[in-house]
Amino acid sequence: MATVADESAGGGAGALKGKVAGLVVCWFLGMGSLVSWNSMLTVSDYYYKLFPNYHPARVLTLVYQPFALGTMLILAYNESTVNTRKRNIFGYTLFFASTFGLVILDLATAGGGGIGPYIGVCALVGGFGVADAFVQGGMVGDLAFMCPEFIQSFMAGLAAAGALTSGLRLATKAAFKDEDGGLRKGALLFMSISTFLEFLCIFLYALVFPKLPIVKYYRSKAASEGSKTVSADLAAVGIQTNEIQGADAKNNARLSLKQLLIQNIDYELDLFLIYVLTLSIFPGFLYENTGEHGLGNWYPLVLIAMYNVWDLIARYLPLVKCIKLESRKGLMLAILSRFLLVPAFYFTAKYGDQGWMIFLVSFLGLSNGYLTVCVLTVAPKGYKGPEQNALGNLLVLFLLLGIFAGVALDWLWIIGKEDF
């Protein structure tokens, strides 16, 4: 059995091996943490047909968030003792089971509507929320003490899930538009693809990712700084951490969660505010408040697709150093300025044409992706491994708080509507 010291020797060279493979795996793991939920959002036109009186885009999102937020609060508070390997594998397994459950539920009810199947869908969406808290917090915390490109790739994978599902949705809508049950066939195809991708992520995280030299190097380094969350992942590849953690305990004192919270309150508020705005518009407003236009029932799908594509593109922009925003004040100013989009969307929906709405949605996605990656890659710098893991969990917690608040505020758009 190797030790942490053995694995860290010659770290500079070792840390470079497997970086490209790590970036690819992180991209797929990011996609897996959101592909199931994005599939739900993208086939909302199918759920609006099944459950026309229950506001699926808004209700399902509102169901999802309390489970994600409540689970994340518990996990963030106990982050220093949580086994990261078990946490992430459990999360991806729950994503797999919940997505497969949607397929089984639809087949069992023959695509029927009504309150019973709707409650079943809501229950499975709650499973998505729990899985999201396990995976997103666990992965961001795990990647926070590795190279920043890993977090960027993981976040790009999140956006790629949206772009992939939007592209597939447009293709399936075109392919099945003249067939009976075309919406249902497209939805089942989506869920089947998502189920396969979730199974792939279980395999990649459990068997491929921990064996990459660069991952073993960073986890060994974190263990030498006192991290206990990586022990199981290192043990899975034959590295023991007990000796060095015990011998160097005095030098492994770390900042508390409260200290990290206070020192990084601006970054945490950044993520909160980014997602308050985004989720107050996406997806509910785009499905229910944009009116009728020349694109007909393709219109909300095009808007969702434009958001997802620009969100994906924007998550690669920070790789260009000269346009990456790293100033703490600059980030806050840029994020606060996004709230001008609220009146812009209101007046465009009321008076503008579909071209202006597509432009606004594209800018919403562009700013969301760019600012998210800037905050998550800048914030963990300057801390030891255990502190970076804790800070990663805190950042995801505030991100989920922002999503929850945004989902709640999204309901304000339908106040006064006749069918409310």
Side-chain angles (χ1 to χ4, degrees):
M1 288 279 188
T3 66
V4 173
D6 296 332
E7 200 63 33
S8 298
L16 296 176
K17 295 180 180 179
K19 185 174 181 179
V20 173
L23 290 170
V24 173
V25 172
C26 286
W27 191 86
F28 275 102
L29 292 175
M31 176 180 284
S33 69
L34 203 58
V35 69
S36 294
W37 177 237
N38 261 331
S39 294
M40 287 285 296
L41 295 180
T42 308
V43 299
S44 286
D45 53 344
Y46 173 59
Y47 286 114
Y48 270 97
K49 182 180 179 181
L50 288 185
F51 316 112
N53 299 320
Y54 300 136
H55 303 286
R58 286 188 163 101
V59 172
L60 294 179
T61 308
L62 194 59
V63 168
Y64 181 96
Q65 293 310 318
F67 285 95
L69 184 56
T71 306
M72 191 63 220
L73 279 167
I74 297 170
L75 291 171
Y77 183 76
N78 298 286
E79 54 76 28
S80 62
T81 58
V82 174
N83 182 320
T84 301
R85 181 175 176 82
K86 290 181 179 178
R87 173 179 177 172
N88 289 330
I89 291 176
F90 173 79
Y92 283 116
T93 302
L94 184 56
F95 267 131
F96 168 79
S98 298
T99 311
F100 190 53
L102 286 173
V103 176
I104 298 300
L105 177 64
D106 193 271
L107 293 174
T109 60
I115 190 64
Y118 192 62
I119 291 173
V121 171
C122 287
L124 291 168
V125 166
F128 285 163
V130 174
D132 184 22
F134 271 81
V135 167
Q136 210 169 155
M139 285 302 304
V140 171
D142 201 18
L143 300 178
F145 54 76
M146 301 185 193
C147 55
E149 291 88 348
F150 277 9
I151 284 188
Q152 182 277 325
S153 187
F154 179 80
M155 300 309 294
L158 288 172
L164 173 68
T165 53
S166 290
L168 284 173
R169 187 70 196 100
L170 293 171
T172 55
K173 186 173 179 66
F176 296 131
K177 66 178 180 179
D178 295 325
E179 296 186 26
D180 292 335
L183 274 178
R184 183 181 179 220
K185 292 177 182 178
L188 287 173
L189 176 62
F190 263 69
M191 295 306 167
S192 300
I193 293 172
S194 297
T195 301
F196 169 74
L197 288 173
E198 297 299 353
F199 180 78
L200 177 64
C201 285
I202 299 171
F203 170 79
L204 288 175
Y205 184 82
L207 301 177
V208 177
F209 193 60
K211 294 180 180 179
L212 298 176
I214 188 171
V215 174
K216 289 193 284 185
Y217 167 75
Y218 280 115
R219 283 178 171 163
S220 298
K221 184 174 181 292
S224 71
E225 294 171 339
S227 176
K228 297 178 181 179
T229 62
V230 297
S231 299
D233 279 302
L234 289 172
V237 291
I239 302 174
Q240 295 299 314
T241 63
N242 294 335
E243 294 180 9
I244 193 165
Q245 285 178 339
D248 205 25
K250 186 178 290 186
N251 296 325
N252 287 333
R254 49 159 284 184
L255 296 175
S256 67
L257 276 176
K258 182 178 179 180
Q259 290 171 316
L260 288 168
L261 178 69
I262 293 171
Q263 289 184 13
N264 296 277
I265 191 64
D266 56 330
Y267 289 130
E268 292 147 0
L269 287 175
D270 284 343
L271 287 172
F272 175 81
L273 293 172
I274 289 170
Y275 284 88
V276 161
L277 176 69
T278 298
L279 270 294
S280 67
I281 297 169
F282 177 91
F285 177 87
L286 303 184
Y287 271 102
E288 297 187 13
N289 295 90
T290 51
E292 297 293 331
H293 294 275
L295 289 172
N297 59 10
W298 285 79
Y299 188 48
L301 297 182
V302 171
L303 293 178
I304 297 292
M306 292 305 296
Y307 170 87
N308 285 323
V309 167
W310 282 103
D311 186 38
L312 172 60
I313 293 171
R315 295 184 186 223
Y316 286 97
L317 295 180
L319 291 175
V320 182
K321 298 295 183 183
C322 63
I323 61 173
K324 182 179 181 181
L325 185 57
E326 297 186 338
S327 164
R328 297 176 86 142
K329 290 182 180 178
L331 282 167
M332 181 61 76
L333 183 62
I335 289 163
L336 290 174
S337 67
R338 289 180 82 230
F339 281 84
L340 293 172
L341 287 171
V342 173
F345 270 99
Y346 174 78
F347 287 109
T348 301
K350 197 168 185 179
Y351 304 111
D353 61 22
Q354 59 193 27
W356 283 107
M357 183 60 72
I358 290 172
F359 170 77
L360 280 180
V361 170
S362 300
F363 185 77
L364 181 71
L366 182 71
S367 57
N368 183 85
Y370 172 76
L371 291 170
T372 297
V373 171
C374 285
V375 173
L376 286 173
T377 53
V378 170
K381 290 181 179 179
Y383 292 102
K384 294 188 293 185
E387 295 164 343
Q388 290 171 317
N389 180 67
L391 180 55
N393 277 269
L394 284 174
L395 292 170
V396 172
L397 174 61
F398 274 81
L399 185 153
L400 292 177
L401 280 168
I403 292 175
F404 182 77
V407 167
L409 290 172
D410 185 38
W411 285 84
L412 296 177
W413 292 108
I414 61 174
I415 291 177
K417 289 185 69 175
E418 292 181 2
D419 59 347
F420 176 71

